[in-house]
């Protein structure tokens, strides 16, 4: 017979990034070929915990800012921790409660518990119960399924009345820097569900399914809805809204099946509406880059034109909004990035209209300005303002908008600014300084500036810098290496790979209750090394050797490229030598060779130019 040969496409590939890959095997005997394409899944080591999710900042800006600020102060940020008190004993196979949606502890009875025998279940609901006070949820439950203390799968459920839960994982995660790799329909027990593949900023790939189980008076079945857009959900009297995600699609399917089984043990379940609810085009990634919003559109059609409608608020204080329509042209059947100028505005509801249909809806929010005080402090005014005249530099990471506060306090008032919406961490490695301009009608206050890191979960350990005697109209530029851990438990130099916010603690040092105004403007992280810049500004020169016989070198640092006059003067003020020096930024040197028959004695070296003058230095010249 003929010799069989085989080949793989791609050939002998090592996959290191979590994703779904198509691998094709071709077998041939020289005349006939046969092939098979197999999907290969490379799974992430972990996914995000249910205790960290559940909402984005839409219409909740101040509440979310306070919530996140308090989480940091209470040391509840950073990597997820699992406690023995949170352990859940998984029920035996087939042991399903018959408690319905409206029963006592109803969410607990219709959660999944049997994802894998290798997993350990932890109830993380306590971390999100406060969401009932700031969202439309009346009950919340979340479970992490872990392996070696890393979350592998998560079930997050909310109970609402008369409407769907108003925050979904695809919206939240795209705003936090994640990419939506795929949106597809999957059939589970003959019901279509929308499944998402999400690539997180840390490289983890998550598979997610969102759906709602609804109950209506007079109906003896639960409705099941899994829609792409929240606006496509039909409202039910009572709704349990599930967000399920895991490192593998199989684990997500397992959770859906168990939930359906638990619901079916009480009443039948039925799909509400039609299935196959998929967009022809959607925003796969969204990122705010300074004053521009970059939206990557994944177009799965031949249509190439559409428009974004932004309902935009300029600042956190604004109660009114403005509508902006931005037409766009994109590639057919591919991805295109559309850049939209948004200035230093705070937030925007974004609707993408494409092929005469609303195909996608998402929400943009910059990190919020907020304030926090103790019980003895009153904040009478807190105003955030746009700065249309501000100049943005390419080597800076700007904190958008300016802020002013009016307070009465015997102690302090804190002003905080998150770098991104949802308190998402930003990698600022390579930035060397932090600068801002202050305003105050009461000089002499203290200002403690703290850079918060996501990975530091002890508030007293966060890196800070103290300014005493705060001045009005002063621009401060502080080297990031000057920020120190307050309790000295962290390394001497701050790691800026996970910065979430900057906190300005305005402190009253008088011991008396006083009223004051204070403000922060033009805040930005900069790549300028201020320590190096300060060394350049030190107007000193070095002379080597000293003493010498008239031949020596003059060394100095220059902050700019400029021409300088180097002059040698004797002790009677007479000019002995004058040399023009072309200085460059950084360290410079000039060689001097005095050929005159100079007397032994003390001479002076003067170095100056336009707008710059160095300290005069002494040089001792010996007889040749």
């Amino acid at each position: 017979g003929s010799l069989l040969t085989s080949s793989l496409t791609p050939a002998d590939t090592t996959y290191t990034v979590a994703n779904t890959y198509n691998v094709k095997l071709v077998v041939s005997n020289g005349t006939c070929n046969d092939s098979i394409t197999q999907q290969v899944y490379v799974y992430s080591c972990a996914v995000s915990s249910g205790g960290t999710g559940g909402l984005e900042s839409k219409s909740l800006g101040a509440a979310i800012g306070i919530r996140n600020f308090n989480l940091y102060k209470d040391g509840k940020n950073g990597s997820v921790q699992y406690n023995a008190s949170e352990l859940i004993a998984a029920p035996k196979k087939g042991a399903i409660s018959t408690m319905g949606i409206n029963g006592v502890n109803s969410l607990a009875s219709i959660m999944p518990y049997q994802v894998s025998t290798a997993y350990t279940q932890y109830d993380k609901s306590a971390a999100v119960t406060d969401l009932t006070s700031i969202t439309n949820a009346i009950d919340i439950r979340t479970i992490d399924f872990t392996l070696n203390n890393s979350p592998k799968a998560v079930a997050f459920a909310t109970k609402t009345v008369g409407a769907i839960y108003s925050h979904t994982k695809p919206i939240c995660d795209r705003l936090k820097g994640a990419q939506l790799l795929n949106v597809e329909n999957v059939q589970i027990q003959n019901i279509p569900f929308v499944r998402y593949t999400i690539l997180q900023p840390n490289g983890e790939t998550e598979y997610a399914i969102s759906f709602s189980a609804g109950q209506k008076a007079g109906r003896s079945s639960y409705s099941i809805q899994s829609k792409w857009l929240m606006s496509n959900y039909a409202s039910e009297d009572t709704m349990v809204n599930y967000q399920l995600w895991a490192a593998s699609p199989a684990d997500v399917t397992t959770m859906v099946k168990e939930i359906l089984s638990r619901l079916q043990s009480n009443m039948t379940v039925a799909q509400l509406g039609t299935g196959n609810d998929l967009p022809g085009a959607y925003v796969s990634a969204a990122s705010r880059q300074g004053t521009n919003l970059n939206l990557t559109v994944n177009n799965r059609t031949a249509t190439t034109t559409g428009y974004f409608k932004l309902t935009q608020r300029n600042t956190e204080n604004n109660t009114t909004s403005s509508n902006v329509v931005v037409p766009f042209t994109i590639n057919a059947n591919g991805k295109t990035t559309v850049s939209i100028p948004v200035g230093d505005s705070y937030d925007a509801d974004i609707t993408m209209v494409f092929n005469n249909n609303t195909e996608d809806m998402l929400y943009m929010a910059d990190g919020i300005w907020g304030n926090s005080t103790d019980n003895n402090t009153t904040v009478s005014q807190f105003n955030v303002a746009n700065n249309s005249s501000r100049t943005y530099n390419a080597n800076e990471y700007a904190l958008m908008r300016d802020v002013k506060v009016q307070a009465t306090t015997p102690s302090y008032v804190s002003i905080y600014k998150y770098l991104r919406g949802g308190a998402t961490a930003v990698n600022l490695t390579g930035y060397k300084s932090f600068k801002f301009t202050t305003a105050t009608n009461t000089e002499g206050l203290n200002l403690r500036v703290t850079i918060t890191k996501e990975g530091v979960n002890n508030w007293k350990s966060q890196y800070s810098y103290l300014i005493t005697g705060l001045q009005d109209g002063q621009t401060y530029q502080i080297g990031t290496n000057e920020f120190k851990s307050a309790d000295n438990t962290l390394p001497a130099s701050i790691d800026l790979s996970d910065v979430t916010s900057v906190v300005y603690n305005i402190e009253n040092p008088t011991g008396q209750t006083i009223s004051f105004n204070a403000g922060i403007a033009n805040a930005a992280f900069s790549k300028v090394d201020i320590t190096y810049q300060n060394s350049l500004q030190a107007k000193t020169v070095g002379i080597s050797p000293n003493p010498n016989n008239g031949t020596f070198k003059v060394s100095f640092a220059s902050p700019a490229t400029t021409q300088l006059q180097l002059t040698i003067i004797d002790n009677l003020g007479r000019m002995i030598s004058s040399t023009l020096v072309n200085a460059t930024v950084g360290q410079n040197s000039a060689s001097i060779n005095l050929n005159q028959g100079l007397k032994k004695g003390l001479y002076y070296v003067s170095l100056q130019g336009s707008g710059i003058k160095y300290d005069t230095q002494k040089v001792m010249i010996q007889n040749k």
Side-chain angles (χ1 to χ4, degrees):
S2 301
L3 180 66
L4 290 176
T5 61
S6 63
S7 63
L8 282 175
T9 306
D12 297 329
T13 302
T14 300
Y15 299 96
T16 58
V17 177
N19 206 337
T20 304
Y21 300 92
N22 291 318
V23 179
K24 185 177 182 180
L25 173 65
V26 178
V27 178
S28 174
N29 66 357
T31 56
C32 295
N33 298 330
D34 197 5
S35 66
I36 183 173
T37 299
Q38 180 68 44
Q39 283 192 329
V40 175
Y41 296 101
V42 178
Y43 299 140
S44 296
C45 295
V47 296
S48 54
S49 167
T52 62
L55 78 170
E56 27 73 23
S57 302
K58 182 177 181 179
S59 74
L60 298 173
I64 298 305
I66 293 171
R67 180 180 191 262
N68 288 326
F69 187 74
N70 288 333
L71 286 175
Y72 270 76
K73 290 187 71 173
D74 295 339
K76 294 180 180 179
N77 59 291
S79 58
V80 61
Q81 302 294 320
Y82 296 104
N83 304 314
S85 61
E86 300 170 330
L87 273 170
I88 299 172
K92 294 180 180 179
K93 190 74 174 176
I96 296 176
S97 169
T98 59
M99 217 171 284
I101 287 179
N102 291 318
V104 179
N105 299 321
S106 57
L107 284 186
S109 70
I110 48 178
M111 296 292 288
Y113 294 97
Q114 306 173 64
V115 177
S116 170
T117 56
Y119 296 164
T120 303
Q121 297 78 224
Y122 290 92
D123 188 340
K124 302 299 293 183
S125 304
V128 293
T129 52
D130 63 322
L131 298 184
T132 57
S133 64
I134 56 176
T135 70
N136 65 331
I138 62 172
D139 195 9
I140 298 179
R141 195 167 185 87
T142 185
I143 298 173
D144 283 11
F145 299 88
T146 70
L147 182 64
N148 299 324
N149 281 327
S150 292
K152 289 289 192 178
V154 173
F156 181 94
T158 59
K159 181 179 176 182
T160 55
V161 176
I164 191 77
Y165 183 62
S166 52
H167 309 275
T168 67
K169 185 173 179 61
I171 289 178
C172 297
D173 289 4
R174 277 186 293 176
L175 297 170
K176 297 176 181 178
Q179 297 179 48
L180 191 55
L181 300 181
N182 194 22
V183 184
E184 58 191 328
N185 275 130
V186 294
Q187 294 283 329
I188 303 175
Q189 294 187 1
N190 297 319
I191 298 175
F193 291 85
V194 179
R195 187 174 71 189
Y196 313 93
T197 306
I198 304 169
L199 177 63
Q200 297 292 352
N202 62 2
E204 295 170 351
T205 298
E206 299 176 349
Y207 298 88
I209 288 178
S210 298
F211 71 98
S212 174
Q215 195 171 5
K216 210 160 194 174
R219 190 181 65 202
S220 59
S221 64
Y222 296 123
S223 67
I224 302 298
Q225 302 179 75
S226 181
K227 302 293 184 181
W228 162 242
L229 296 177
M230 285 190 294
S231 57
N232 290 347
Y233 279 85
S235 296
E236 298 275 78
D237 293 343
T238 305
M239 304 179 79
V240 174
N241 316 286
Y242 293 97
Q243 296 183 44
L244 314 171
W245 63 92
S248 78
D251 284 348
V252 180
T253 300
T254 298
M255 287 189 286
V256 173
K257 287 181 177 178
E258 185 178 353
I259 291 168
L260 293 177
S261 296
R262 289 180 175 276
L263 292 170
Q264 288 165 340
S265 69
N266 190 43
M267 287 195 302
T268 59
V269 300
Q271 176 188 345
L272 183 62
T274 58
N276 301 317
D277 180 36
L278 295 179
Y282 60 90
V283 175
S284 60
S287 64
R288 176 82 174 261
Q289 301 293 329
T291 57
N292 290 320
L293 177 64
N294 298 325
L295 302 172
T296 300
V297 181
N298 186 6
N299 184 10
R300 305 199 279 198
T301 73
T303 303
T304 59
T305 60
Y307 64 87
F308 289 108
K309 180 182 177 181
L310 282 73
T311 302
Q312 188 170 302
R313 283 194 302 161
N314 287 336
T315 74
E316 294 85 327
N317 299 128
N318 281 22
T319 56
T320 60
S321 56
S322 59
N323 292 325
V324 179
V325 174
V326 182
F328 63 82
T329 301
I330 58 175
N331 299 325
N333 298 301
K335 291 183 178 181
T336 309
T337 297
V338 179
S339 185
I340 300 172
V342 292
D344 66 346
S345 62
Y346 169 53
D347 70 356
D349 287 301
I350 303 171
T351 302
M352 186 177 79
V353 178
F354 193 69
N355 203 19
N356 296 319
N357 294 315
T358 297
E359 293 288 334
D360 200 357
M361 300 177 72
L362 65 159
Y363 173 74
M364 175 206 79
D366 183 37
I368 193 170
W369 282 102
N371 68 86
S372 177
T373 66
D374 61 17
N375 294 331
N376 299 317
T377 299
T378 301
V379 175
S380 51
Q381 290 186 32
F382 186 77
N383 296 315
V384 184
N386 301 108
N387 188 343
S388 59
S389 62
R390 182 172 181 178
T391 301
Y392 297 90
N393 297 322
N395 69 342
E396 293 180 353
Y397 186 99
L399 276 59
M400 298 294 179
R401 301 173 304 288
D402 300 337
V403 66
K404 289 184 178 179
V405 64
Q406 186 177 84
T408 301
T409 181
S411 51
Y412 73 94
V413 61
S414 295
I415 300 173
Y416 52 82
K417 174 66 171 73
Y418 286 99
L419 272 59
R420 295 176 64 181
T424 307
V426 178
N427 186 347
L428 294 179
T429 301
Y431 288 81
K432 302 296 184 181
S433 57
F434 180 66
K435 66 177 186 177
F436 53 91
T437 302
T438 57
T440 181
N441 67 345
T442 307
E443 294 190 343
L445 298 169
N446 292 339
L447 179 63
R448 188 179 304 275
V449 185
T450 300
I451 299 174
T452 64
K453 285 169 48 68
E454 185 178 57
V456 176
N457 54 20
N458 183 354
W459 179 255
K460 293 182 179 179
S461 299
Q462 298 283 2
Y463 288 84
S464 64
Y465 180 87
L466 179 64
I467 297 171
T468 58
L470 188 66
Q471 300 295 306
D472 180 47
Q474 178 70 39
T475 296
Y476 296 92
Q477 187 158 8
I478 309 162
T480 55
N481 61 345
E482 296 185 64
F483 286 82
K484 301 299 179 183
S485 173
D487 61 3
N488 296 314
T489 59
L490 300 178
S493 296
I494 185 172
D495 173 4
L496 295 174
S497 62
D498 61 345
V499 177
T500 54
S501 74
V502 176
V503 181
Y504 300 89
N505 220 48
I506 306 170
E507 301 171 352
N508 171 13
T510 68
Q512 305 295 319
T513 298
I514 62 172
S515 297
F516 60 82
N517 297 334
I520 302 294
N522 300 320
F525 286 89
S526 172
K527 292 183 178 178
V528 172
D529 188 343
I530 192 63
T531 303
Y532 176 64
Q533 287 292 93
N534 287 339
S535 71
L536 297 181
Q537 299 296 334
K539 305 298 191 297
T540 60
V541 296
I543 299 172
S544 176
N546 192 13
N548 58 70
N549 60 5
T551 299
F552 56 92
K553 181 180 292 185
V554 176
S555 302
F556 62 95
S558 175
T561 299
T562 186
Q563 282 193 333
L564 301 172
Q565 200 74 33
L566 197 161
T567 305
I568 311 300
I569 302 169
D570 68 11
N571 59 2
L572 296 177
R574 295 174 299 187
M575 182 186 298
I576 304 301
S577 170
S578 181
T579 305
L580 189 65
V581 177
N582 292 313
T584 59
V585 176
Q587 294 298 320
N588 292 262
S589 65
S591 296
I592 300 297
N593 187 3
L594 301 177
N595 296 319
Q596 300 96 324
L598 296 178
K599 295 181 180 180
K600 176 181 178 180
L602 190 64
Y603 292 81
Y604 299 91
V605 176
S606 172
L607 183 65
Q608 57 186 306
S610 178
I612 185 171
K613 186 178 187 303
Y614 289 78
D615 295 335
T616 300
Q617 297 295 315
K618 299 175 182 178
V619 57
M620 177 63 71
I621 296 181
Q622 301 170 332
N623 290 330
K624 296 186 178 181

